[in-house]
Amino acid sequence: MSKKSTVSRLKQMAKSGSGHFFRQGSRVFKYGAIGFGRNIWLSITATIVTTLTLILLFATIVASSVLTSTANAMREKIDISIFFESDTTKEELASMSKTIEKDENVKSVEYSTAEEEYDKLYQSYKESDNQSMLTTLEIVGRDLMIQRQPAAMRIKVYNTDDLSSIKNIVNSDEEFIKHLSKKEDPTYNTNSSAIQTISSWADIATKGGTALSILFLVISTLVIFNTIRMAIYSRSEEIYMEKLVGAGNVFIRGPFLVEAMISGVFAGIISTILSLVGYYALSPRLEAYEIQVGSINSFLSEPKNVILIALALILTGSVITLISARLAIQKYLKRL
Amino acid sequence: MILFDHVTKSYSGDKKPALDNVSLHIEANEFVFLVGKSGAGKSTLIKMITKEEMPDEGKIIIGGIDLDYVKKRHIPHYRRRIGTVFQDFKLLPTRTVYENVAFALEIAGMSNREIERTVPKVLDLVELSDVAYKFPDNISGGQRQRTSIARAVARQPKILIADEPTGNLDVETGQGILDLLEKINDYGTTVLVTTHDANAVNHLKKRVVTLRDGKIVSDQKDHGIYRLDGDNDGISLPQPGHLHPETYLMRDQRKQPPKRRLIQ
């Protein structure tokens, strides 16, 4: 028996036995779908694990986004406050504002005279209905309070880490030196550590969120891989039998991959629903703590974005389960 | 049809080889029992035919195919040419009797119409039409083995290998299975049955090849009452080793199987 005749016989067998691509493909899908139903407990387990993974992924991305926007909002609220003697006029403040605006790090400058500062203070007590403070202010009297109230300049900066150039202007410019309040020092020294802390929070939120998402994906892929591996282990005899009967690897592997993919799709749909319900339930409470959810709310208000999230979660779920199933079954396919 | 030419196989860790210089020739349309105690080498021989194992030495030619040249990617195609029946049935538990039989045809790429036409005929042949839509767990042992046979013969292979097909069945059910295998053989399929059940061998009175410690110790074409007491190796063995494998293939081709088909 020559090698040539054996090989030509085998090639002939391969040609006659391979069947139509679409016919075999539809059988793989059919048995995958049937297998999903008939191995319902294993399917449910794989779906639950994938759903939890996707919810965690969604939560991590939302948390990262919320923390970043919250940190940015807090950074916006922080300003450098420089106080001046109460007799400093609006024109003098405007002149000093022009001087400080020349610095590249300065984003914006607001200023108010002692009188305006007093009015703001009075208005804030009134809005918060702080009767005791309002009574005190009235007893002391407006004129006396204005004499004691310093004028103020509030500066917002681009880089909160380096304020040396602004400090330099405040401490060396003649006009500043002339009008600076003797009673109240500028607040940038006391605020710098807070600014730095919030800056690093924003960094952590962005970098940590990404790292956490990747970590969750890796862990969950391993968990799903093990779940599917256990499922396949319990059916390893089936795979062995299929190989002995002459089934090719694609025909054996296919239904398992389809089963896994169905789990992934279901997990994507379920996790989208649960994540959105969870988010809408939690977001009013987060807002109460001044956590910035506005950008996410506006993103979710568009129906196409919700569909986009659903598709992304379904795709992620399918990819994770497909990769896990592919890795898990490989060992058993090599057996024969 | 099946040729083992000086085949030796050892497993790592074992002192004695599982098969020791075994030469065996089974012609087309023959029915052969391969008997021997546990560990005699029966399963190893079967695994070589299904290409689960490869010999350390010697040559194996099955249905005109030299297994030395069957590459991994061609193994599924090769296996589809051989029907295999197992002691523990090896059915797909999540598929019905019908689907188990259809599976053998689906993997070969047969069209749905052909499958719908063939499977009922095969089930009729093995008398399983009544349980076609039951799952393996819901039918008897005998019916499971009939399902396994139906799956094995659905593609009308030239060779049917049955590894201890009556091992898990009572005597009466086992004889029914053997009668079915004989019927399949009558239609021109070469049948090789391994067993350590003397009742099975005596029931059909066919050629009996006895393996002991990896060696063929007896090859009887006409025998009396067979006992599995280990003393049945008095007949001299045919030694095909001195002939070139091609000679056997020519003999196979000369011997034409019956023209009628198992499944019309």
Side-chain angles (χ1 to χ4, degrees):
Chain A
M1 179 89 302
S2 71
K3 182 179 179 180
K4 200 177 166 187
S5 71
T6 293
V7 171
S8 83
R9 265 176 192 242
L10 287 166
K11 279 185 179 168
Q12 202 182 341
M13 284 181 203
K15 204 177 169 186
S16 64
S18 57
H20 199 276
F21 175 78
F22 290 106
R23 185 192 293 157
Q24 296 301 74
S26 70
R27 281 174 185 160
V28 163
F29 269 92
K30 184 183 95 179
Y31 282 115
I34 291 173
F36 184 85
R38 289 184 186 165
N39 302 294
I40 192 67
W41 287 109
L42 292 172
S43 307
I44 288 173
T45 310
T47 307
I48 289 173
V49 174
T50 315
T51 303
L52 291 175
T53 304
L54 294 177
I55 290 173
L56 276 175
L57 185 69
F58 179 85
T60 312
I61 291 169
V62 168
S64 161
S65 162
V66 162
L67 269 176
T68 308
S69 50
T70 306
N72 284 341
M74 286 175 84
R75 196 185 282 172
E76 275 294 307
K77 282 183 184 174
I78 292 162
D79 51 19
I80 298 165
S81 300
I82 301 166
F83 302 103
F84 302 98
E85 290 298 329
S86 53
D87 58 356
T88 312
T89 62
K90 191 106 180 165
E91 289 71 30
E92 286 163 338
L93 285 167
S95 163
M96 284 188 286
S97 170
K98 276 181 186 165
T99 309
I100 204 100
E101 273 172 4
K102 285 174 191 162
D103 190 282
E104 285 182 352
N105 195 20
V106 172
K107 198 174 180 182
S108 65
V109 181
E110 279 178 22
Y111 52 84
S112 41
T113 59
E115 197 176 346
E116 286 165 341
E117 281 289 298
Y118 171 80
D119 289 341
K120 273 192 217 169
L121 189 69
Y122 186 82
Q123 198 59 32
S124 72
Y125 288 144
K126 209 174 173 183
E127 278 170 13
S128 61
D129 200 22
N130 192 338
Q131 286 303 327
S132 60
M133 286 309 292
L134 286 171
T135 316
T136 311
L137 291 181
E138 274 163 21
I139 291 168
V140 177
R142 189 171 188 271
D143 290 345
L144 196 58
M145 279 302 295
I146 289 170
Q147 280 176 27
R148 292 184 176 185
Q149 179 72 43
M153 180 181 284
R154 294 193 171 80
I155 306 163
K156 286 194 168 60
V157 293
Y158 292 108
N159 180 10
T160 51
D161 297 334
D162 183 16
L163 303 174
S164 55
S165 57
I166 295 170
K167 281 182 194 172
N168 196 32
I169 295 169
V170 172
N171 294 330
S172 59
D173 186 89
E174 277 184 20
E175 210 176 359
F176 273 88
I177 295 167
K178 185 181 167 192
H179 294 291
L180 274 178
S181 168
K182 308 281 182 297
K183 295 172 197 161
E184 283 211 54
D185 291 333
T187 57
Y188 50 75
N189 285 331
T190 48
N191 273 357
S192 64
S193 64
I195 292 168
Q196 273 178 0
T197 309
I198 289 159
S199 297
S200 50
W201 278 10
D203 263 9
I204 289 167
T206 315
K207 288 176 189 165
T210 313
L212 211 61
S213 303
I214 293 167
L215 188 71
F216 270 137
L217 269 182
V218 171
I219 291 171
S220 53
T221 305
L222 285 174
V223 172
I224 296 164
F225 164 69
N226 273 308
T227 310
I228 293 175
R229 198 170 63 159
M230 279 193 286
I232 291 177
Y233 174 76
S234 69
R235 290 161 70 186
S236 57
E237 199 57 22
E238 217 174 294
I239 295 169
Y240 173 70
M241 191 286 297
E242 289 182 1
K243 290 211 87 172
L244 275 183
V245 176
N249 283 352
V250 173
F251 205 87
I252 298 171
R253 190 195 291 128
F256 283 97
L257 297 187
V258 171
E259 271 186 63
M261 202 180 70
I262 295 172
S263 288
V265 170
F266 276 127
I269 295 167
I270 296 167
S271 60
T272 304
I273 295 166
L274 292 181
S275 300
L276 291 178
V277 167
Y279 173 76
Y280 283 120
L282 276 176
S283 62
R285 294 184 193 182
L286 295 176
E287 265 179 321
Y289 286 103
E290 290 198 21
I291 291 170
Q292 300 295 311
V293 290
S295 59
I296 304 234
N297 280 344
S298 65
F299 182 77
L300 291 177
S301 64
E302 295 266 344
K304 69 171 184 188
N305 289 338
V306 175
I307 293 168
L308 206 67
I309 288 174
L311 287 178
L313 287 176
I314 288 168
L315 189 72
T316 312
S318 306
V319 168
I320 293 173
T321 48
L322 272 177
I323 292 172
S324 306
R326 181 76 170 73
L327 291 173
I329 200 168
Q330 201 53 29
K331 180 183 158 190
Y332 297 102
L333 287 179
K334 282 181 183 167
R335 196 172 142 189
L336 274 175
Chain B
M1 188 56 75
I2 296 174
L3 177 69
F4 276 63
D5 188 16
H6 296 289
V7 171
T8 298
K9 171 73 182 176
S10 298
Y11 293 108
S12 58
D14 287 355
K15 285 178 186 169
K16 288 181 180 176
L19 285 182
D20 188 0
N21 197 29
V22 166
S23 292
L24 173 70
H25 179 230
I26 297 170
E27 293 193 36
N29 200 24
E30 258 197 292
F31 191 121
V32 177
F33 280 112
L34 185 65
V35 301
K37 294 175 181 173
S38 294
K42 305 190 296 290
S43 294
T44 303
L45 193 139
I46 294 291
K47 282 182 177 175
M48 292 200 169
I49 296 175
T50 56
K51 207 167 160 58
E52 288 176 73
E53 298 286 353
M54 282 299 288
D56 299 332
E57 287 172 37
K59 193 167 266 304
I60 302 170
I61 298 172
I62 309 291
I65 293 170
D66 187 337
L67 297 197
D68 276 350
Y69 304 127
V70 178
K71 286 185 180 164
K72 207 169 179 180
R73 68 173 189 276
H74 285 131
I75 291 176
H77 305 295
Y78 162 71
R79 284 185 183 146
R80 288 173 206 166
R81 310 270 293 194
I82 306 167
T84 322
V85 176
F86 305 92
Q87 180 178 1
D88 56 355
F89 323 124
K90 295 206 191 305
L91 298 174
L92 292 165
T94 56
R95 296 186 193 188
T96 62
V97 168
Y98 184 98
E99 287 169 348
N100 265 282
V101 178
F103 180 77
L105 304 173
E106 286 174 342
I107 57 170
M110 203 181 255
S111 73
N112 289 340
R113 190 178 289 176
E114 283 176 286
I115 291 171
E116 282 161 18
R117 197 174 57 82
T118 309
V119 177
K121 287 180 183 173
V122 184
L123 291 177
D124 189 43
L125 177 81
V126 298
E127 296 167 17
L128 283 179
S129 302
D130 294 347
V131 294
Y133 297 102
K134 288 192 174 179
F135 287 94
D137 283 348
N138 301 329
I139 57 177
S140 69
Q143 287 171 327
R144 282 183 217 172
Q145 195 57 289
R146 281 172 183 273
T147 309
S148 174
I149 293 171
R151 182 183 63 193
V153 300
R155 281 193 305 257
Q156 307 202 49
K158 294 227 166 55
I159 299 167
L160 179 67
I161 311 289
D163 191 9
E164 305 270 6
T166 58
N168 280 349
L169 307 173
D170 59 66
V171 175
E172 199 181 334
T173 313
Q175 285 179 355
I177 293 296
L178 291 168
D179 290 339
L180 178 60
L181 293 175
E182 190 180 32
K183 187 173 160 186
I184 290 162
N185 175 241
D186 285 345
Y187 279 93
T189 307
T190 307
V191 179
L192 174 63
V193 178
T194 73
T195 186
H196 58 264
D197 178 4
N199 289 323
V201 178
N202 292 326
H203 180 70
L204 291 187
K205 296 195 172 17
K206 302 283 184 182
R207 179 181 167 192
V208 180
V209 175
T210 310
L211 271 173
R212 185 184 293 164
D213 296 331
K215 291 180 180 170
I216 292 179
V217 292
S218 156
D219 189 345
Q220 298 169 284
K221 292 211 172 178
D222 303 294
H223 63 87
I225 299 301
Y226 191 86
R227 299 192 323 278
L228 268 187
D229 55 9
D231 296 321
N232 231 24
D233 50 358
I235 296 169
S236 61
L237 301 176
Q239 289 292 334
H242 64 282
L243 292 172
H244 192 271
E246 291 285 1
T247 318
Y248 285 92
L249 287 167
M250 284 166 69
R251 281 168 61 186
D252 273 354
Q253 284 157 8
R254 276 202 308 274
K255 186 171 179 179
Q256 293 298 319
K259 283 183 180 167
R260 57 195 177 139
R261 287 165 61 84
L262 183 63
I263 304 152
Q264 297 300 324

